[in-house]
Amino acid sequence: FSPDVPNPFWQLGSVPGQGNEGKQFAWNPNGNSMILEDYSFAIVQLSNVESPVVLQRTQDNEAQLLKNEFPHHVAEFKYHMYGAGTSITCLSESKCVPVGGYSVWASLGDNINQSKPLVFAMSSFDSTGMFHESAVGADDSMSGLIALLAAANVLANQGNVSTLPGQIVLGFFTGES
């Protein structure tokens, strides 16, 4: 099962073929596009331990209602609510901020030297999914973040970064960069 589309990022040319040919290549064959749907209700993932507890409490509440009594059990949702739709829609309707809103970039040195070519070193530092607690990429992202921070430390401590042939720009991005 995958809530993503069968052919993510086909329009970026990351799959065989040109243009719409790439759209036909399903490298995520279990994808059902569920993550792109707009639901009018909350969807949460319950573990094998939580499921029977929630079911029992629901049955208890229904029994209370049948006796015209107030239900004893309540649920409090503390899940992140993200902008729906595409990035273009989300940004145009001011429902979200670019690249997740927590992205950080910086250059080595006091100023960006525009006469030098820019050298970008980037890493993501999050992961996302239909159910964020199951987004296994979150652990993977930390290795890239740590490696980039270590490289930045080495470059910053090598002496005068203005003598480097290129302007180093570091980027740490959210939003499945």
Side-chain angles (χ1 to χ4, degrees):
F1 166 76
S2 171
D4 204 350
V5 295
N7 46 8
F9 305 115
W10 70 269
Q11 67 274 37
L12 299 179
S14 60
V15 295
Q18 299 286 328
N20 286 333
E21 288 179 38
K23 192 173 185 178
Q24 306 307 315
F25 184 78
W27 67 267
N28 182 26
N30 296 322
N32 65 4
S33 304
M34 183 178 175
I35 199 166
L36 300 178
E37 296 296 322
D38 189 14
Y39 300 98
S40 61
F41 51 87
I43 299 174
V44 297
Q45 180 182 19
L46 298 174
S47 70
N48 291 338
V49 172
E50 295 166 322
S51 293
V53 172
V54 170
L55 181 59
Q56 182 60 54
R57 289 181 179 174
T58 302
Q59 291 169 343
D60 291 347
N61 280 349
E62 288 176 355
Q64 294 300 118
L65 288 171
L66 288 173
K67 295 189 275 183
N68 290 324
E69 295 178 10
F70 192 77
H72 293 134
H73 304 289
V74 296
E76 180 180 1
F77 292 105
K78 293 184 177 181
Y79 299 101
H80 299 287
M81 301 303 287
Y82 296 99
T86 66
S87 296
I88 293 169
T89 303
C90 190
L91 291 170
S92 67
E93 294 177 0
S94 298
K95 292 182 177 178
C96 59
V97 286
V99 199
Y102 300 107
S103 299
V104 178
W105 72 272
S107 65
L108 289 181
D110 294 332
N111 298 304
I112 291 182
N113 184 340
Q114 295 182 358
S115 66
K116 290 184 178 184
L118 296 175
V119 178
F120 289 92
M122 297 177 275
S123 172
S124 61
F125 64 91
D126 76 343
S127 182
T128 191
M130 185 75 174
F131 305 108
H132 294 278
E133 58 274 8
S134 297
V136 295
D139 293 334
D140 174 64
S141 296
M142 285 300 107
S143 59
L145 175 74
I146 291 167
L148 189 52
L149 286 172
N153 185 48
V154 168
L155 287 169
N157 289 320
Q158 63 86 30
N160 189 354
V161 293
S162 65
T163 61
L164 295 172
Q167 176 69 52
I168 309 293
V169 179
L170 307 170
F172 304 90
F173 297 104
T174 65
E176 288 295 300
S177 44

